């Protein structure tokens, strides 16, 4: 625990806050900063009511809401195959998986809300194109094998990224990640299993699997973000104990993991330059097309327009339902209050 | 709960489905090794795979009538799961993506169980039945086949079918056919939640805004012509109710009317005055909607006949 002189909640925010003297405000801010610095030094956790630097709050809000948006938009390419899943068991698994993703979105929006922004506002930013989400979901899921490749590679990359986030310095984010990672790990195994079944199936099925792996390989590697020398925010995030490993470190680790597993699948990765560097003891991969990454990020990917339109459509179609629920809740609350007055 | 999973099961809950060889009765005899956190009661533990296994081992085998009956219930649930699955990623709220997804998943589970059992009659798997039958071979009734419409239409259908399924499964849990009883005992618990979900939304929509009330009234108008078909008896249900394997659908009607009536009264809604549609799905005479649903559901499996997934 922090020493007694350090306060985690430097004064309750009150209506009278603006009446505090400048000296008092400065003192509270200094106390808060001292506590925050100590938490960082101890590698401990900041909770929502603790003081935090505005930039820390902003960074987390951006990262967690982007993460939530990715879960929500990420439902679409897989939901696209629920109706056509080739067996009832696969249909059930896929449905459960997409449902999990909605659940991840919910935890993450809730975690982000503790930083002071309501879910509606975050959703609105997404629909207005102001907020980003993982670019990978702007690629189309063309065949059933994509359900395998997305589970194995995309969820696999997500896990590699997210396991260290379980130790993120912001409490609600770290705790949400623990649960998310457990489910993601299950998702990855189901993706692997789909590919395994396909690669041991008919020649056409095996080809379908290989083509999906080929298509998702580079986008999955790019999920870790730009190379370290081109990742301006990484350094600060690492100083704040949000990020624990650099983009390239995580990416290389992921390549090594895939190299082992792809052999079991009896498939190949579409990259002839993958090798284990004996000197650095690290995996290396071939060059990635970062120009394409930036194109998709800028909104010029195959499905950017489609994904956002689908989200807007669902949101707009549901407006009257949300209004009805809010209205009903208000009426019920009023009735309850009247009952209590009468009693 | 402080008791162990086995001792916590009331006797009547285990009585119905002792023949299924995996995860049911017997688990107390076969030792604690088979008990796990996910196997709280035998009813909960009954998975489609367990039924397929029992069928393949010959410990559960339906007669022709029971197989036809299981096919009816399986097709109803499968078609509904297919319809509800469409809402995932399109619902009015994230919470509803999850809720409707959950209900779809439950229905799909029931479908898989009923179809696995039905297929035991002539050696067909759940997937043979789902993916390789033609439209006239399906036995679903029309209310399940109707397009989703807007959220109010979907809720109106959910309200009707969950109250119907609850009454049906509640009784089937006492079936003389152990497997039907086992499937129903598990399903009725899940369908109870579906009732709660739909009833809450009927109240919210009917008493929310003017617009939502209008849409809820419209939703019931769209759905209600297909309610009667659910409660129609025929020769098969006559024979099965005679043997105690099933009940006459008409015998569910009074409870259905009473319980749905209570919710409708609270919502200040009336049962729509509409003419009933003749239906015909139990004989393979389907609505115009089913063909499209099957085309989409079956396309990939049929592109690669014989492949395993």
């Amino acid at each position: 625990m922090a020493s007694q002189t350090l306060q985690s909640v430097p004064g309750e925010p009150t209506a009278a806050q603006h009446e505090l003297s400048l000296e008092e405000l400065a003192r509270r801010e200094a106390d808060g900063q001292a506590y925050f610095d100590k938490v960082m030094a101890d590698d401990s956790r900041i909770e929502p009511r603790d003081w935090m630097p505005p930039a820390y709050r902003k960074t987390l809000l951006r990262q967690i809401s982007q993460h939530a948006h990715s879960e929500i938009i990420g439902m679409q390419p897989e939901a696209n195959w629920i109706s056509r899943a080739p067996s009832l068991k696969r249909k059930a698994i896929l449905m459960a998986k997409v449902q999990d993703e909605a659940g991840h979105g919910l935890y993450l929006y809730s975690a982000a809300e503790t930083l002071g922004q309501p879910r509606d506002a975050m959703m609105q930013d997404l629909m207005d194109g102001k907020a980003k989400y993982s670019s990978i979901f702007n690629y189309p899921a063309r065949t059933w094998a994509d359900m395998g490749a997305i589970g194995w590679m995309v969820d696999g990359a997500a896990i590699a990224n997210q396991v260290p986030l379980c130790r993120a310095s912001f409490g609600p984010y770290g705790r949400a990640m623990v649960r998310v990672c457990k489910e993601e790990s299950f998702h990855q195994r189901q993706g692997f299993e789909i590919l395994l079944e396909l690669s041991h199936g008919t020649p056409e099925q095996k080809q379908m699997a290989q083509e999906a792996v080929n298509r998702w390989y580079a986008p999955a590697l790019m999920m870790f973000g730009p190379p370290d020398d081109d990742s301006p925010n990484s350094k600060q995030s690492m100083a704040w104990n949000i990020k624990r490993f650099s983009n390239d470190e995580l990416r290389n680790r992921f390549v090594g993991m895939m190299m082992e597993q792809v052999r079991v699948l009896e498939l190949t990765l579409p990259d002839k330059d993958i090798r284990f560097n004996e000197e650095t003891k690290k995996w290396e991969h071939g060059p990635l097309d970062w120009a394409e990454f930036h194109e998709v990020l800028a909104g010029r990917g195959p499905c950017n327009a489609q994904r956002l339109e689908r989200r807007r459509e669902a949101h707009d179609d549901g407006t009257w339902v949300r209004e009805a629920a809010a209205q009903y809740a208000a009426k019920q609350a009023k009735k309850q209050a009247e009952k209590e007055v009468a009693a | 709960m402080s008791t162990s999973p086995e001792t916590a099961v009331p006797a009547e809950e285990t009585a119905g489905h002792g023949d299924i060889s995996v995860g049911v009765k017997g688990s107390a005899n076969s030792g604690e090794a088979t008990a796990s956190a996910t196997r709280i009661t035998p009813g909960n533990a009954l998975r489609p795979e367990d039924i397929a296994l029992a069928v393949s081992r010959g410990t559960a085998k339906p007669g022709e009538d029971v197989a036809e009956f299981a096919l009816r219930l399986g097709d109803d649930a499968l078609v509904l799961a297919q319809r509800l699955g469409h809402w995932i990623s399109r619902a009015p709220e994230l919470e509803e993506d999850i809720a409707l997804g959950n209900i779809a998943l439950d229905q799909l589970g029931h479908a898989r169980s009923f179809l696995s059992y039905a297929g035991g009659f002539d050696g067909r798997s759940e997937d043979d039945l789902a993916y390789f039958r033609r439209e006239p071979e399906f036995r679903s009734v029309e209310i399940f086949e109707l397009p989703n419409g807007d959220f109010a239409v979907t809720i109106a259908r959910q309200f009707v079918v969950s109250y119907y399924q609850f009454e049906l499964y509640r009784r089937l849990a006492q079936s003389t056919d152990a497997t039907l009883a086992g499937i129903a005992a598990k399903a009725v618990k899940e369908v109870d939640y579906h009732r709660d979900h739909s009833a809450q939304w009927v109240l919210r929509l009917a008493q929310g805004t003017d617009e939502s009330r209008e849409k809820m009234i419209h939703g019931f108008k769209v759905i209600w012509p297909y309610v009667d078909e659910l409660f129609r008896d025929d020769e098969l249900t006559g024979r099965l109710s005679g043997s105690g394997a099933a009940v006459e659908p008409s015998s569910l009607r009074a409870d259905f009317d009473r319980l749905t009536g209570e919710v409708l009264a609270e919502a200040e809604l009336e049962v729509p005055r509409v003419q009933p549609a003749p239906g015909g799905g139990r004989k393979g005479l389907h609505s115009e909607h089913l063909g499209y649903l099957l085309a989409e559901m079956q396309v990939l499996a049929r592109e690669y006949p014989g492949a395993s997934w």
Side-chain angles (χ1 to χ4, degrees), chain A residues 250-321:
Chain A
L250 289 169
R251 187 169 14 246
N252 294 340
R253 202 184 287 180
F254 176 63
V255 166
M257 195 181 81
M258 282 205 299
M259 273 306 278
E260 274 179 36
Q261 296 178 1
V262 80
R263 289 193 195 104
V264 182
L265 290 174
E266 295 176 33
L267 297 171
T268 56
L269 296 177
D271 183 347
K272 294 197 170 33
D273 299 326
I274 296 181
R275 67 182 194 108
F276 186 73
N277 185 326
E278 288 294 347
E279 276 174 39
T280 61
K281 300 286 175 206
K282 279 181 182 160
W283 284 90
E284 291 172 356
H285 57 83
L288 293 166
D289 184 358
W290 291 105
E292 179 184 305
F293 176 82
H294 288 294
E295 278 296 287
V296 179
L297 200 63
R300 292 183 287 274
C303 298
N304 296 58
Q306 177 193 331
R307 300 284 187 242
L308 274 189
E309 183 51 30
R310 162 85 161 273
R311 181 88 301 273
R312 286 187 202 112
E313 197 184 352
H315 188 82
D316 292 349
D317 288 351
T319 302
W320 69 270
V321 179

